[in-house]
Amino acid sequence: MKPSNTLYFGVLFLTGLLACKTESAPDGPISGTVRGAKGMVLYFEELGSNGTELIDSVVIDANDGFCITKPAGGVNFYQLRLGPNQPASPMQMPSNICPIITDSTEKIFLEIDPRFMARPIRVEGSPETALLNEVFRLADSFSRIQDSLSQQMQNSSLSNQATMEQNQRAWEQYRMEIIAWVRAHLGAFSTLQAIYYLDVDDLNNLGLFKEVLDALMPRFPNNFRVENFNTQVSMKLALAPGKTAPNFTLPTSKDDTLSLSDFYGKHTLILIDFWASWCAPCRAENPNLSAAYSKFKAKGLEIVGVSLDQNKEAWLRGIKDDKLSWPQLSDLGYFNSEAARLYGINSIPANFLLDANGVILASNLRGPELNKAIEQHLP
């Protein structure tokens, strides 16, 4: 589980209404048409480092035309929002948003169908927005496959196992298409959106992320999104197999303190397990951890639980209810916990398997994969 957040949310209000020009006489950096939307308000917003910021707003004219007169700033993700903010699930874009990538130099024309705001019918003058459209279409294709498989399972034409296998094949095909698209467009700002669809915790993707970063840094050296991505990739590289795990010291459930390094040299393998009592997937995984602990403790396995709870009573109750017998640590700092920040934790459950000296062997292991990795590294 992860804290609710998404690229496309914001609560903003109208700050001014400006007249629009038609397609034949656009007079601003962004103009176009929104079919059948005359009289509605269109907002131009930047997805900035501090959230969504309003730049301009216009009323769509009688010919369905609009013209944004205030320019964008530096290259970044922006959006045209039709009408009021709409609720949407975390990680999902509201249906009244048209995302674009632009800067202060472009003069863009867009033709938009309000039923499909995120996929403009026509994009002129903004190569990055056109590329962004391609990325979203790849994602749409995969979503349609998933919906079809889900429907077949509900209609009993496919078993759960067959659905899972087909879904896995579809995911791997989609992943390869995204990777191929990214490599074909290295240096494009839109690759930041494309890699958003890949698993950031999958070590197999780290090489690609480094390629993307190496291509973006020279082109956008002071861009906050590129800098944030650089920080994220650097942390992942620092936590890759073969690297030494960062040390930390935290309070324990028994009201003393322990450091990760206290376990070095005393056990053959150490598993750092990030969890929380409020995290349903973590609680579901705890029986697997307990089984592994019972099976491998005598052979040299130790587990160090690190909770991202905020409430001590809930944390201790979770330990008791799930019968967790290994050491438990927490500073009750949620995702701002010292350990969570050191390990770049933004979703849980998460774990790192270390050798006796604190060298990282693997990460984010579950169920059979965890048992297999433990057996592989035990003498």
Side-chain angles (χ1 to χ4, degrees), residues 22-337:
T22 64
E23 177 181 354
S24 60
D27 195 31
I30 304 176
S31 61
T33 60
V34 184
R35 294 179 177 178
K38 65 180 179 181
M40 296 186 69
V41 180
L42 189 68
Y43 302 82
F44 178 42
E45 301 167 329
E46 179 175 12
L47 304 177
S49 58
N50 295 317
T52 308
E53 302 172 8
L54 179 64
I55 298 175
D56 200 0
S57 57
V58 298
V59 174
I60 297 174
D61 66 24
N63 297 316
D64 296 337
F66 70 89
C67 179
I68 300 295
T69 61
K70 294 182 180 179
V75 62
N76 194 13
F77 291 95
Y78 296 82
Q79 63 186 28
L80 294 173
R81 173 168 57 87
L82 184 63
N85 282 291
Q86 292 183 358
S89 303
M91 311 309 291
Q92 179 182 355
M93 183 166 46
S95 60
N96 65 335
I97 295 296
C98 175
I100 59 178
I101 297 174
T102 188
D103 60 20
S104 60
T105 68
E106 290 188 330
K107 199 172 187 69
I108 306 173
F109 180 84
L110 299 167
E111 184 179 355
I112 301 170
D113 183 333
R115 297 172 301 172
F116 311 103
M117 283 287 293
R119 315 292 182 265
I121 299 168
R122 180 156 55 114
V123 178
E124 295 179 0
S126 180
E128 286 282 7
T129 299
L131 291 176
L132 189 63
N133 230 350
E134 292 182 14
V135 174
F136 286 142
R137 291 185 190 282
L138 282 175
D140 284 348
S141 177
F142 178 61
S143 294
R144 286 193 295 271
I145 292 173
Q146 285 188 306
D147 291 344
S148 174
L149 289 173
S150 178
Q151 188 62 48
Q152 290 180 61
M153 187 176 70
Q154 291 177 14
N155 294 337
S156 301
S157 59
L158 280 178
S159 67
N160 288 349
Q161 182 62 32
T163 301
M164 290 175 60
E165 291 174 355
Q166 289 196 29
N167 193 63
Q168 181 59 38
R169 287 195 294 271
W171 160 252
E172 187 56 30
Q173 176 64 29
Y174 169 62
R175 178 178 174 273
M176 296 308 295
E177 289 176 355
I178 289 289
I179 290 172
W181 189 95
V182 169
R183 286 209 165 105
H185 298 90
L186 287 174
F189 198 80
S190 47
T191 55
L192 286 173
Q193 179 65 35
I195 60 173
Y196 178 79
Y197 296 112
L198 299 176
D199 184 359
V200 71
D201 293 320
D202 186 345
L203 296 177
N204 294 320
N205 293 328
L206 269 182
L208 176 66
F209 294 164
K210 185 67 165 56
E211 290 179 47
V212 171
L213 185 61
D214 289 345
L216 290 175
M217 288 290 284
R219 293 197 63 199
F220 312 103
N222 300 312
N223 185 278
F224 79 94
R225 291 194 182 278
V226 176
E227 290 175 347
N228 288 346
F229 183 52
N230 182 26
T231 299
Q232 187 178 31
V233 171
S234 297
M235 178 167 287
K236 294 299 179 183
L237 289 171
L239 295 168
K243 300 294 185 179
T244 299
N247 191 34
F248 54 82
T249 301
L250 293 175
T252 74
S253 58
K254 297 182 179 179
D255 295 323
D256 56 3
T257 59
L258 280 174
S259 298
L260 178 62
S261 58
D262 292 336
F263 297 91
Y264 296 171
K266 300 176 183 177
H267 309 277
T268 306
L269 293 177
I270 303 161
L271 183 73
I272 310 172
D273 175 55
F274 290 91
W275 74 292
S277 66
W278 48 261
C279 169
C282 303
R283 303 295 292 272
E285 183 66 18
N286 279 341
N288 295 329
L289 290 177
S290 293
Y293 196 55
S294 297
K295 182 177 180 180
F296 298 112
K297 180 182 179 182
K299 298 179 180 180
L301 173 69
E302 183 59 282
I303 301 178
V304 179
V306 178
S307 170
L308 303 191
D309 274 290
Q310 294 176 285
N311 181 283
K312 186 173 183 178
E313 290 183 2
W315 171 40
L316 297 178
R317 186 165 56 251
I319 295 171
K320 181 179 179 181
D321 290 349
D322 289 2
K323 300 180 174 61
L324 307 182
S325 56
W326 49 88
Q328 294 290 333
L329 288 64
S330 180
D331 57 9
L332 303 177
Y334 193 53
F335 284 88
N336 291 318
S337 164

